[in-house]
Amino acid sequence: MAKPKNLILSSTVFERVVHWVLAGSCLFLFLTGFGLMFHSLSFIGNFFPGGHYIMKLLHNIVGIIFGIAFLFALIAWGKDTLYFDEDDKKWFRVMGGYLWEVEKVPEAGKFNAGQKMFFMVLFLFWFIMVGTGIFMWFPIFPPELTRWLYVLHALGVVVLGGFLVIHFYLGTYGNPGTFQVMGHGYVTKGWAKKHRSKWLRDVEAGRRSV
Ligand code: HEM
């Protein structure tokens, strides 16, 4: 795609494909997971030809896709998210300007401190969910231990669910102009200046391409 005027590429095709595979698989896991976890929601299995059995099988298979997709997410975003710098500490002190009025929100690179924290939480819970999921699928441990894996898996749903609701809100209505990052990949320079000014300076100086 040719570079539109006044817009700047913020997310490569690779990043966008990884994002939507990760997001799609994660949402599918939530939906089918609720169908497996709660009797009152077991009707979700009726949407699958083959019913509950196929829903469980697909939950496990999509779990593998989610597990692999996160490895690509590490390649796409790991270098920009798995650390905090001085500006990030300042960002946390004012909570990014989201919770109360602040004069100036500290500058961010490609991702702000909140997004970095989201990625780190995702990393931790990717490990927990995939790890517990595998041993729930193949229960090689004693039943008492396997039961605790179920508890940990359910706890992961609660934590990830909370973070994803916030991620969804901030990526759409909460920050107008952001959703297009994961659509066509371009943002306006004004948006970049407001949300990731350090990154914009680096791109304009040729220190990084995206
Ligand atoms: C379906 C609803 C979703 C929407 C609307 C959405 C929207 C977005 C947007 C707009 C960005 C770019 C933010 C930026 O560059 O400033 C982004 C980044 C990202 N999204 Fe999503 N997303 C969704 C679901 C998910 C899910 C389910 C996951 C994970 C399982 C996920 C993981 C990520 C990650 C890791 C990033 C990279 C930056 C970061 O750490 O925040 N997204 N998303």
Side-chain angles (χ1 to χ4, degrees), residues 60-123:
N60 296 351
I61 292 170
V62 174
I64 297 173
I65 296 174
F66 173 76
I68 295 171
F70 192 79
L71 295 175
F72 288 97
L74 279 172
I75 298 171
W77 300 302
K79 64 179 184 319
D80 288 312
T81 49
L82 295 177
Y83 69 92
F84 288 124
D85 60 21
E86 282 309 310
D87 285 327
D88 293 325
K89 289 180 197 156
K90 291 182 199 151
W91 191 97
F92 276 122
R93 262 175 240 139
V94 298
M95 291 315 284
Y98 283 119
L99 300 185
W100 58 87
E101 279 297 317
V102 296
E103 248 173 52
K104 193 178 180 303
V105 178
E107 290 194 308
K110 181 151 179 174
F111 297 111
N112 65 38
Q115 290 174 302
K116 289 180 180 182
M117 184 183 66
F118 169 63
F119 194 79
M120 290 174 198
V121 168
L122 204 56
F123 194 178

Side-chain angles (χ1 to χ4, degrees), residues 41-63:
L41 295 177
S42 61
F43 69 89
I44 294 173
N46 299 338
F47 293 108
F48 296 88
H52 197 267
Y53 171 78
I54 294 296
M55 176 170 74
K56 189 169 167 47
L57 187 67
L58 286 177
H59 183 83
N60 296 351
I61 292 170
V62 174

